[in-house]
Each structure stands twice: as structure tokens, then as C-alpha cells.
Amino acid sequence: MHFVQAKGILSQNNGMNIYRGCSHGCIYCDSRSTCYQFTHAFEDIEVKQNAPELLERALRSKKQRCMVGTGSMSDPYMHIEDKLRLTRRCLEIIDQYECGVAVLTKSSRVLRDMDLLTSINKKTKAVVQMTLTTYDEKLCRILEPNVSTTRERFDALMEFKRAGIPTVVWLTPILPFINDTEENINGILDYCIQAGVKGIICFDMGVTLREGDREYFYHALDQHFPGLKEKYIKTYGYSYSLSSPNRKNLMDLFVGRCKEADIMYKPDECFAYLREMPDRYHQMSMFDVI
């Protein structure tokens, strides 16, 4: 890893990435794509060491409290967070300024910050998002080798359920010819229903590949699934969007079970929920001082 002094931390939509790069090693990671213009090795994680100071400055200047999102590009709970604790420091600031937070991770390390997430959720709203792609634990270790297994993530979701903290699951990507089975989708949905998740985000039963990401993915296929790369190329060429041949049946299964369990499943509805602050926090009085 290496350290930088960042110029800013919050995007226009209040998204935040404390780290840039990742150590999880997921074979399908879109963040490896060359369009993101990494100037360093992906595993040489860039650490925005002044992220807490930048976040405090940004929140102090806001006229409205907001939901702060983190984890869309790089996981905020990689192994280096154990030592650096930058994510925790940022949560402390979010709690102090009574903003909300939506955290996206694949790591059970998020449980370390249960105290802060609980405090934030009592004041405004905290949402923990977990990515679940693969019900089979052995397959999970191949696809997502350096991160909490699906079972460990499910156990974390159950802990947040007991704490009264809402959760959302990202069911993506589903890799054609690998985990695009009814057994896999049903297994993940069973977990989601048992954990009482608020919503499940699934754009399609498939995966997207582009330059940088595609090469890494195909190299992993050669290592773990000999001959499958050739099947991908024959089936999809160099398409960006690769839908499972079984996508219709799997999407019908997904939508049907979500409706039965009263779980949000439309992406726009889930995103609206993640962005929404409780009503009493929408507007700040001109007399409020933070």
C-alpha cells in the first residue's frame, strides 16, 4: 500500500472511497477496468490518509444532512483497515454530524463497527450492504479468495438483523456457466430471507467485462476452469454485458421469491431507499449549528 494526501473525499452524490485498489482478489472485479485509470498496481492499495479530515470539512459545510455512501469502488473493510482504522474514523465523524451512512462490503470486519453503526442508526439511518454471489463455500473461495465467505457474510447479516440495522444485498455478478444455477440463486435468497434484508439489488443474471477486468477474469478461468475461457469467447465474443443463457428463468425465480418475501428487488427502488434520509432530517434549520 501507499499513502496520498487527497484533495477531496465526497462525490457530488456523497459517495466516498477511502481506499483505491483492493486485496480481495475477486476474479470478476470491474474496478480493475482500465477506464478507471489506475496508475498503480491494483493490489498496491492507495490510502487517502487525510480522508477523515476531508470528510469532516465536507460535512461541516453542508446545509443539509445527507446519506454518505462508501464501498462502491473499493471495499472499506479490507485487511489494512484492521491497522489503519480510517473507515472507523470516518464513521465517527458521520455519527458526530448526525448524517446517515450506507456501507457496501464483502467483509465481516464491518461487525467491528457495530457500536458506531448502531449509534448512527438511532440518530438517522445506517444501512449495511453485503455482496453475495455464491452459495457454495468452496466455489466462493475460488471466485472471491481473500475475503469473508458467503456463510460468514450471512452470519454478519444476522448480527445486524438482531441489532435492528437494515441491510441490503447485492446479488451480482452471476457468472455464466459457473454460478448461474437455480440451486445457487435459491441458496442466496434463503440467506436473504432468513436475514430479513430490506432489499436485493440484481441488475441481471450475468456479468460485465471490459478491458483490464476481462483479461484478469480470463486468466483466472484458465487457472480454475480449464477450457471455459474459450466457451466465453465463443458465446459472447468481446461483449460488455454477458447474460446467462438461463437468465430468464433465474430472473423469474428471483423476482417471484422477492415478492413472496416482501423484499425490494427493483434497483431504482433500492437506490432510492439507500439515499433517503428520515423525514425529520431532510432540512436543517437556519439556526442549527454543527
Side-chain angles (χ1 to χ4, degrees):
M1 64 180 173
H2 63 281
F3 296 86
V4 298
Q5 290 289 118
K7 295 180 180 179
I9 195 63
L10 283 187
S11 71
Q12 185 176 2
N13 295 319
N14 300 312
M16 171 179 67
N17 282 295
I18 301 166
Y19 304 112
R20 197 159 188 261
C22 192
S23 58
H24 289 342
C26 303
I27 71 170
Y28 51 74
C29 181
D30 177 71
S31 294
R32 292 180 180 274
S33 301
T34 57
C35 63
Y36 297 116
Q37 300 179 335
F38 274 79
T39 57
H40 55 87
F42 192 70
E43 289 77 11
D44 177 19
I45 300 163
E46 181 178 283
V47 179
K48 299 175 184 177
Q49 59 184 347
N50 59 333
E53 293 79 11
L54 291 173
L55 178 62
E56 182 167 16
R57 187 187 309 163
L59 295 185
R60 189 190 307 126
S61 67
K62 283 190 175 293
K63 296 179 180 179
Q64 293 183 346
R65 295 182 175 99
C66 64
M67 290 291 292
V68 177
T70 186
S72 61
M73 176 66 110
S74 295
D75 199 306
Y77 286 100
M78 288 179 280
H79 71 284
I80 58 175
E81 172 62 19
D82 285 339
K83 177 181 179 181
L84 299 178
R85 299 171 70 87
L86 290 176
T87 297
R88 182 171 179 83
R89 287 170 59 193
C90 287
L91 288 178
E92 290 171 345
I93 292 165
I94 291 168
D95 187 33
Q96 175 188 347
Y97 284 87
E98 297 190 358
C99 287
V101 70
V103 176
L104 173 59
T105 183
K106 293 179 184 174
S107 175
S108 60
R109 284 188 185 90
V110 65
L111 290 171
R112 179 203 65 185
D113 295 335
M114 176 72 83
D115 59 333
L116 285 170
L117 292 165
T118 299
S119 178
I120 293 168
N121 196 50
K122 286 179 179 178
K123 296 173 183 175
T124 53
K125 183 170 77 175
V127 185
V128 174
Q129 305 165 79
M130 279 277 183
T131 299
L132 304 181
T133 67
T134 310
Y135 182 72
D136 182 271
E137 294 287 280
K138 290 183 179 179
L139 182 58
C140 177
R141 278 295 182 214
I142 294 173
L143 304 183
E144 302 159 345
N146 305 322
V147 70
S148 303
T149 67
T150 300
R151 177 69 201 200
E152 291 168 339
R153 289 174 236 171
F154 164 68
D155 290 341
L157 288 171
M158 291 297 291
E159 289 291 326
F160 288 114
K161 178 184 180 182
R162 285 187 278 270
I165 294 174
T167 54
V168 168
V169 161
W170 288 65
L171 180 58
T172 181
I174 298 300
L175 306 175
F177 317 121
I178 297 178
N179 62 347
D180 58 337
T181 65
E182 291 188 10
E183 180 183 13
N184 183 52
I185 302 304
N186 273 320
I188 294 172
L189 292 175
D190 287 343
Y191 276 162
C192 292
I193 293 169
Q194 188 174 344
V197 304
K198 187 80 174 178
I200 305 175
I201 297 172
C202 178
F203 302 104
D204 188 21
M205 295 295 171
V207 64
T208 58
L209 295 178
R210 45 189 164 189
E211 185 181 356
D213 170 25
R214 180 184 292 109
E215 290 77 8
Y216 189 86
F217 178 65
Y218 281 169
H219 177 71
L221 292 188
D222 283 339
Q223 285 185 308
H224 301 290
F225 308 96
L228 191 53
K229 177 181 74 174
E230 288 72 23
K231 186 173 183 179
Y232 264 77
I233 294 172
K234 181 178 180 181
T235 305
Y236 301 106
Y238 287 88
S239 298
Y240 167 66
S241 182
L242 287 62
S243 293
S244 165
N246 198 30
R247 69 165 302 278
K248 185 182 185 305
N249 290 337
L250 296 180
M251 285 301 295
D252 288 346
L253 171 64
F254 165 68
V255 171
R257 292 204 63 188
C258 285
K259 286 182 176 179
E260 289 175 3
D262 195 25
I263 294 173
M264 290 186 296
Y265 64 90
K266 296 178 180 178
D268 288 348
E269 186 178 7
C270 292
F271 290 138
Y273 170 73
L274 292 171
R275 289 190 297 264
E276 181 186 22
M277 286 283 285
D279 287 341
R280 67 184 182 277
Y281 290 103
H282 277 169
Q283 298 291 333
M284 290 177 62
S285 165
M286 64 181 290
F287 299 107
D288 284 349
V289 178
I290 297 180

